[in-house]
Amino acid sequence: MSRWAPDARERLEAAALDLFVENGYEDTTVAQIAERAGLNRATFFRHFADKREVLFGGEDLLAGSFADGIHAAAPDATLTECLQAAFASAGVVMTPQQRAKAAQRVLVAAANSEVQERGLLKQARIAGAISAALRERGADELTARLGAQVGMLAFSIAVERWMGSDDDEPFPVHAAAALSDLRVRAAELGSPSGPSS
Amino acid sequence: MSRWAPDARERLEAAALDLFVENGYEDTTVAQIAERAGLNRATFFRHFADKREVLFGGEDLLAGSFADGIHAAAPDATLTECLQAAFASAGVVMTPQQRAKAAQRVLVAAANSEVQERGLLKQARIAGAISAALRERGADELTARLGAQVGMLAFSIAVERWMGSDDDEPFPVHAAAALSDLRVRAAELGSPSGPSS
């Protein structure tokens, strides 16, 4: 395979995930990832700053598409509708191919706190992109930050359900359902928290 | 000063923060931190696993005191009241001395993404402790996770206000106010998000 293959990035991501799951994140080298992808180390470093970044390439795309979705929402959209618009626009990134990768990434992150840390940093940046987009629509500071946190939680829950489901329901359907579940609970934060209420 | 001083941990934390702010996190070594504290490297490593941990010693205490507060809340407490109980119990950790340190930590974290990552991992663990404590009270999975996220956001906002205020209002007062501000907004997630509404 040519080292100039246009799909080098995807091949490196797939090779890295396979190796991380097979041999562990710690014991996998960049050289091995490049070799498995049929590329060389220099090509790896043209696409990713380090070994951890190869796991999180999609996150930067997500931050941008969430923000685009929020900007494009109707002027009188509720905060929940803005978040739904964000998730709808993320459907392009959250493909069935990504669904398989997501499950591998969960395995890798569960075994390595360095990977978890990088994942959390990426999540914080996505949350920052969501709250910035909400502020630009006129939401106040606290509302924008709350919207970002609720949105990120809805996103996590939706990813878990999407990975665990055996049908091919597209990601935005899971995201809308998770968001709706959270909105109901958010309205009841002042109600008794136990199951008997 | 004796290397067996009972306040070794606090001295190491204070020395580390001072050096990180003065010389930068990257350029500060464990040996320098120990020297500034009048201790040796071995003593440092008896208290902290690595250079990053010296910044986050309080986080593990916080996770425990939040959980204790939630467990001790009245049986019919609302989720908001549970979080208030968590913050009230954290008042012991959030001393005026910690307030000065918090401002230093913000400076250090802003300049170093490695530090940010570790901070986010600690926050995720505190959120995990909150959601576990809420589940043990009978809250369903999503309510517990939402409560943890809202609680952590209230905590962050309260820390920012606490650091920025020029009075000596105790931390739990800031935390209760932040939580109340968020609860009002959480109830309105389905309302238009702009300022005109």
Side-chain angles (χ1 to χ4, degrees):
Chain A
M1 281 186 280
S2 160
R3 53 189 278 213
W4 303 111
D7 58 347
R9 193 180 170 89
E10 288 69 32
R11 275 161 49 196
L12 287 164
E13 284 175 346
L17 276 169
D18 287 344
L19 285 165
F20 292 162
V21 171
E22 285 167 29
N23 305 331
Y25 172 84
E26 292 285 0
D27 291 335
T28 300
T29 66
V30 166
Q32 289 167 338
I33 296 168
E35 192 192 348
R36 172 78 63 107
L39 300 160
N40 62 28
R41 280 180 88 250
T43 306
F44 181 96
F45 287 115
R46 263 200 301 281
H47 289 278
F48 302 103
D50 60 33
K51 194 172 76 171
R52 276 196 287 183
E53 281 299 311
V54 73
L55 280 163
F56 297 108
E59 261 70 0
D60 299 325
L61 290 176
L62 271 182
S65 73
F66 282 174
D68 290 346
I70 292 169
H71 288 138
D76 61 347
T78 65
L79 201 140
T80 306
E81 287 164 350
C82 288
L83 293 173
Q84 261 157 0
F87 297 141
S89 80
V92 187
V93 181
M94 309 297 280
T95 58
Q97 194 190 4
Q98 283 297 326
R99 182 172 142 180
K101 281 190 195 171
Q104 285 181 300
R105 294 206 307 180
V106 168
L107 286 177
V108 176
N112 192 289
S113 71
E114 218 183 84
V115 173
Q116 282 168 44
E117 286 180 352
R118 183 64 59 92
L120 290 167
L121 186 66
K122 295 287 182 179
Q123 279 181 24
R125 288 188 180 152
I126 298 175
I130 295 176
S131 63
L134 291 172
R135 268 193 303 269
E136 283 160 25
R137 293 181 62 92
D140 70 53
E141 173 69 19
L142 262 58
T143 300
R145 287 169 71 177
L146 178 67
Q149 290 307 313
V150 172
M152 290 309 291
L153 179 56
F155 181 71
S156 297
I157 291 165
V159 168
E160 291 163 20
R161 291 177 178 175
W162 181 56
M163 289 193 311
S165 72
D166 45 15
D167 54 34
D168 283 329
E169 203 85 81
F171 178 77
V173 175
H174 288 287
L179 195 53
S180 168
D181 291 346
L182 288 178
R183 189 176 54 74
V184 171
R185 285 165 177 80
E188 292 171 353
L189 285 182
S191 310
S193 62
S196 56
S197 51
Chain B
M1 280 186 280
S2 159
R3 52 188 281 214
W4 303 111
D7 59 345
R9 193 180 171 90
E10 288 69 33
R11 275 159 52 195
L12 288 164
E13 283 176 346
L17 276 169
D18 287 345
L19 286 166
F20 293 161
V21 171
E22 285 166 30
N23 305 332
Y25 172 83
E26 292 284 1
D27 291 336
T28 301
T29 66
V30 166
Q32 289 167 339
I33 296 168
E35 191 191 350
R36 173 77 64 106
L39 300 161
N40 62 27
R41 280 181 88 251
T43 305
F44 181 96
F45 287 114
R46 263 200 300 281
H47 289 278
F48 303 103
D50 60 32
K51 194 171 76 170
R52 278 196 285 181
E53 282 298 311
V54 74
L55 280 163
F56 297 108
E59 261 69 2
D60 299 326
L61 290 176
L62 271 182
S65 73
F66 282 175
D68 290 346
I70 292 169
H71 288 139
D76 61 347
T78 65
L79 200 140
T80 306
E81 287 164 350
C82 287
L83 293 172
Q84 261 158 358
F87 297 142
S89 80
V92 187
V93 181
M94 309 297 280
T95 58
Q97 193 190 5
Q98 284 296 325
R99 181 172 144 181
K101 282 190 192 169
Q104 285 181 301
R105 295 204 306 179
V106 169
L107 286 177
V108 176
N112 190 291
S113 71
E114 218 183 85
V115 173
Q116 282 168 46
E117 285 181 351
R118 183 64 59 93
L120 290 167
L121 186 65
K122 295 286 182 181
Q123 279 181 26
R125 289 188 181 153
I126 299 176
I130 295 176
S131 62
L134 292 172
R135 268 194 303 269
E136 283 160 24
R137 293 181 60 94
D140 71 54
E141 172 69 19
L142 262 59
T143 300
R145 287 169 72 176
L146 178 68
Q149 289 307 312
V150 171
M152 290 308 291
L153 179 56
F155 181 72
S156 296
I157 292 165
V159 169
E160 291 164 21
R161 292 178 178 172
W162 182 56
M163 290 192 312
S165 72
D166 45 16
D167 53 34
D168 283 329
E169 203 86 80
F171 179 76
V173 175
H174 289 288
L179 195 54
S180 168
D181 291 346
L182 288 178
R183 190 176 54 74
V184 171
R185 285 164 176 80
E188 291 171 354
L189 285 181
S191 309
S193 62
S196 55
S197 53

